[in-house]
Amino acid sequence: MHKNNAILAANCISFIVENQCDYQKDQKNGTFRLTFYYFCIDIFLLVIIMKRIKIKELLSAPAIGSDVTVKGWVRTKRGNKNITFISLNDGSTINNVQIVIDVPDFEENLLKDISTGACIAVKGKLVESHGQGQNIEIKANEINLYGKADAETYPLQKKGHSMEFMREIAHLRFRTNTFGAVFRIRHAMAYAIHKYFNDKGFFYLHTPIITGSDCEGAGEMFHVTTMDLNNIPKNEDKSVDFRTDFFGKETNLTVSGQLEGELGALSLGDIYTFGPTFRAENSNTPRHLAEFWMIEPEMAFYDLDDNMDLAEDFLKYLIRYALENCKDDLEFLNNMIDKDLLGRLNSVINNSFVRITYTEAIQILTSAEKKWEYPVGWGRDLQAEHERFLVEEHFKRPVILTDYPKEIKAFYMKQNDDGKTVRAMDVLFPGIGEIIGGSQREEIYESLLNRIKEMKLKEKDFWWYLETRKYGTAPHSGFGLGFERMIQFVTGMSNIRDVIPFPRTPKNAEF
Ligand code: ATP
Ligand code: MN
């Protein structure tokens, strides 16, 4: 045991013994209750001295002169034969606490084993720091080594590893400043989303992850089955016989909770979903994942304008929340990852979004002096290059495009009187492109059924969806925000794989 440690233990014992004398005095007086009270205080004080304090809490209100215990992972270690400085991080904040060690007071082998990446507990006194870069430091009395990190093999030795390399060590990348910041912000955003909707009287609705319907009518879904893949039962016409499968029908992982969300909204009023969604699309882009999280509010009695107002207010609320609550992490990302980050976040909250129709956007794009990789024309879907031109070069702020051709949008969107367009809205963001896709929903039974037939979808798959239009239908609207695209925007990370802990993309499901 370290000698300071022995002193600490001796102090504690003498403290208890002193009070013990009080107990005996008290007992003579017959006040048993008081003795028990003293005993509890002793234990309480001991626990306080020994209890771990998180570094975030320690730095926010440092009690100079107090004894503290911190636990965390060593970021750097430097010094000479007399004194060692350790930068310790416990994940609670991007900021480290400096540990000062008088080398002669500790066993040589212990100090040798404490290298970058090692996990330690430190008890010591909180003192003012005269060094640069910090106001306080901990003068170590006792160090406990939980886990070594062999300097020969620990992958996070030096700074400046590439993002690609970090993805290969996703189990360790949390320990870097960048990913610590990203995942703390991700948490804060998830919390803010629930807070925003709760404060507005929305209900969080859990829609199914395994589904029997394909919301978009697109063939981009992952099958869910318990069938033996080496022996798949077939019907006479060679199609798969799903009757023997677990659910007795074809099932998939959901691509969106919207259809079920609508069912909730048409009774609860305002609901939102926030869950994982899955798309087996083979898009190897910096904005697509095969598994991503989506927030989908759905509101009864909202028209498209109400829908746009909500989307704009919601996005601005989240950015403001991040600016107010994730200052240290955002400043770090602004300095290290993207020098325009804070400027861009502030610009979005301080400007109203442009709202134009798809048709107007096509006019702007066709008259722009630009060479496009993908052609522009009325009826064609917009590509990221077009979306980003509108936002980053033409308007220089977020843009909401509405009234898209019905051919390029889903069956459930409300049809306009022109017979050509639907009440869709896509919110386009700088650096991202589409961040939200939404619409006013078709609430008229006949129009919805016609559209299902026109698009050659299976009417019987949507019987329950159609019934909500048959019984007490109501105008309603909603949208989907891709959570990771939002985190990309807020953190300035350029690849979506770096804002989800364990990304799933084509040919990649490690960890
Ligand atoms: P995109 O054209 O960019 O592929 P989409 O039109 O397929 O988007 P929607 O079906 O409207 O997107 O989904 C709503 C939101 O979900 C999008 O605005 C986007 O933020 C997000 N999103 C869609 N697909 C993905 C994906 N593969 N990975 C991550 N987020 C996605
Ligand atoms: Mn898509």
Side-chain angles (χ1 to χ4, degrees):
M1 191 163 60
H2 177 259
K3 65 183 178 211
N4 283 337
N5 201 23
I7 295 168
L8 181 74
N11 275 340
C12 290
I13 289 165
S14 72
F15 186 63
I16 290 177
V17 168
E18 239 170 65
N19 282 334
Q20 204 65 43
C21 301
D22 287 343
Y23 304 153
Q24 281 159 11
K25 270 188 248 151
D26 288 339
Q27 269 171 0
K28 265 190 225 141
N29 299 337
T31 51
F32 284 98
R33 238 179 303 160
L34 253 186
T35 64
F36 183 65
Y37 174 72
Y38 281 137
F39 183 69
C40 287
I41 289 184
D42 286 347
I43 297 294
F44 181 68
L45 287 173
L46 262 177
V47 167
I48 292 251
I49 293 170
M50 301 304 165
K51 193 175 175 279
R52 167 200 175 209
I53 183 168
K54 288 197 179 180
I55 292 173
K56 182 178 184 186
E57 197 188 328
L58 185 82
L59 296 177
S60 69
I64 301 292
S66 65
D67 286 311
V68 293
T69 298
V70 290
K71 301 181 178 185
W73 292 267
V74 174
R75 281 296 166 79
T76 57
K77 180 180 147 195
R78 63 192 171 84
N80 52 39
K81 63 182 187 326
N82 296 318
I83 193 156
T84 293
F85 298 100
I86 286 175
S87 234
L88 196 70
N89 187 281
D90 69 358
S92 61
T93 160
I94 193 150
N95 300 306
N96 304 327
V97 70
Q98 171 153 287
I99 312 291
V100 185
I101 299 167
D102 279 332
V103 173
D105 290 349
F106 290 84
E107 280 169 30
E108 202 184 323
N109 281 341
L110 173 72
L111 294 188
K112 218 187 311 160
D113 281 344
I114 299 175
S115 53
T116 296
C119 183
I120 58 173
V122 178
K123 282 179 200 159
K125 199 177 265 321
L126 197 61
V127 294
E128 273 177 43
S129 173
H130 302 296
Q132 256 192 354
Q134 70 272 324
N135 300 325
I136 57 154
E137 57 196 22
I138 295 171
K139 223 177 146 328
N141 286 323
E142 187 188 341
I143 300 174
N144 218 327
L145 177 61
Y146 287 128
K148 293 195 269 191
D150 182 4
E152 293 284 298
T153 55
Y154 183 58
L156 289 171
Q157 286 300 335
K158 58 175 173 44
K159 292 188 171 151
H161 292 299
S162 72
M163 292 294 168
E164 288 77 16
F165 173 71
M166 291 295 189
R167 270 170 234 148
E168 286 166 22
I169 53 159
H171 57 304
L172 293 174
R173 67 178 179 168
F174 297 105
R175 298 197 193 174
T176 63
N177 282 330
T178 300
F179 288 95
V182 166
F183 293 119
R184 275 186 298 272
I185 292 172
R186 186 179 164 110
H187 160 79
M189 289 293 90
Y191 175 76
I193 286 161
H194 287 299
K195 179 161 169 48
Y196 178 83
F197 286 121
N198 183 66
D199 290 354
K200 275 189 130 46
F202 281 59
F203 300 106
Y204 180 26
L205 192 75
H206 292 100
T207 50
I209 289 169
I210 300 174
T211 152
S213 77
D214 174 349
C215 175
E216 309 283 328
E220 299 173 343
M221 307 185 86
F222 289 100
H223 287 292
V224 173
T225 182
T226 53
M227 286 192 296
D228 176 0
L229 296 184
N230 294 314
N231 186 17
I232 296 173
K234 294 279 173 71
N235 297 312
E236 269 175 18
D237 64 358
K238 296 252 169 60
S239 62
V240 177
D241 179 2
F242 285 102
R243 282 172 308 175
T244 59
D245 203 355
F246 188 90
F247 295 106
K249 64 180 287 200
E250 188 177 355
T251 51
N252 303 290
L253 292 178
T254 185
V255 294
S256 157
Q258 179 202 317
L259 298 192
E260 291 90 350
E262 283 185 54
L263 313 181
L266 288 172
S267 171
L268 293 163
D270 299 330
I271 65 93
Y272 69 105
T273 73
F274 184 178
T277 48
F278 307 86
R279 296 191 185 178
E281 54 195 358
N282 206 349
S283 357
N284 256 310
T285 80
R287 309 177 307 133
H288 287 90
L289 291 163
E291 176 182 292
F292 66 101
W293 288 65
M294 189 145 54
I295 301 100
E296 296 179 277
E298 197 66 41
M299 299 74 62
F301 316 117
Y302 271 50
D303 66 13
L304 192 66
D305 287 320
D306 300 326
N307 206 19
M308 286 191 278
D309 290 343
L310 182 77
E312 182 167 344
D313 185 60
F314 176 47
L315 291 169
K316 287 178 170 171
Y317 174 91
L318 294 182
I319 294 167
R320 228 177 284 122
Y321 188 92
L323 286 167
E324 283 165 14
N325 294 279
C326 310
K327 271 205 181 75
D328 292 350
D329 288 326
L330 284 178
E331 268 162 26
F332 172 83
L333 293 169
N334 189 75
N335 292 338
M336 303 304 290
I337 300 287
D338 179 352
K339 294 266 185 277
D340 299 327
L341 177 62
L342 290 173
R344 206 163 47 238
L345 296 180
N346 279 302
S347 133
V348 168
I349 56 174
N350 292 324
N351 285 296
S352 53
F353 298 2
V354 174
R355 299 180 185 189
I356 57 167
T357 65
Y358 165 90
T359 305
E360 289 167 314
I362 293 295
Q363 282 159 3
I364 293 170
L365 292 170
T366 42
S367 49
E369 310 252 310
K370 269 268 193 202
K371 253 187 105 69
W372 305 114
E373 195 183 334
Y374 295 90
V376 177
W378 203 95
R380 286 177 188 274
D381 210 352
L382 297 183
Q383 302 296 323
E385 58 170 337
H386 311 129
E387 298 175 340
R388 293 185 57 176
F389 170 81
L390 292 169
V391 174
E392 291 161 28
E393 293 177 49
H394 191 80
F395 289 110
K396 298 198 165 53
R397 50 191 164 130
V399 175
I400 311 183
L401 294 187
T402 61
D403 303 286
Y404 281 72
K406 64 178 181 186
E407 282 75 21
I408 58 173
K409 289 292 181 186
F411 73 95
Y412 49 70
M413 297 192 179
K414 182 153 185 68
Q415 296 155 59
N416 280 320
D417 293 338
D418 62 10
K420 292 193 296 197
T421 59
V422 288
R423 308 236 73 197
M425 56 165 237
D426 280 7
V427 181
L428 314 178
F429 254 35
I432 305 285
E434 182 191 328
I435 197 161
I436 278 181
S439 68
Q440 185 170 338
R441 317 306 189 190
E442 184 56 81
E443 86 278 21
I444 302 168
Y445 179 82
E446 291 74 21
S447 311
L448 184 62
L449 184 61
N450 276 341
R451 200 72 194 116
I452 286 177
K453 285 180 180 160
E454 266 173 33
M455 295 180 76
K456 303 212 163 40
L457 301 173
K458 290 188 212 126
E459 183 187 333
K460 71 169 181 23
D461 285 353
F462 297 101
W463 68 270
W464 41 270
Y465 188 70
L466 281 159
E467 279 205 354
T468 56
R469 274 61 171 176
K470 223 193 249 173
Y471 307 120
T473 192
H476 63 288
S477 300
F479 61 79
L481 168 67
F483 187 48
E484 285 75 18
R485 289 201 191 164
M486 186 62 189
I487 305 303
Q488 270 191 281
F489 181 74
V490 172
T491 59
M493 299 295 281
S494 57
N495 194 309
I496 198 165
R497 295 158 206 228
D498 300 327
V499 297
I500 188 165
F502 302 106
R504 266 80 184 101
T505 49
K507 301 282 176 290
N508 172 33
E510 193 66 51
F511 307 105

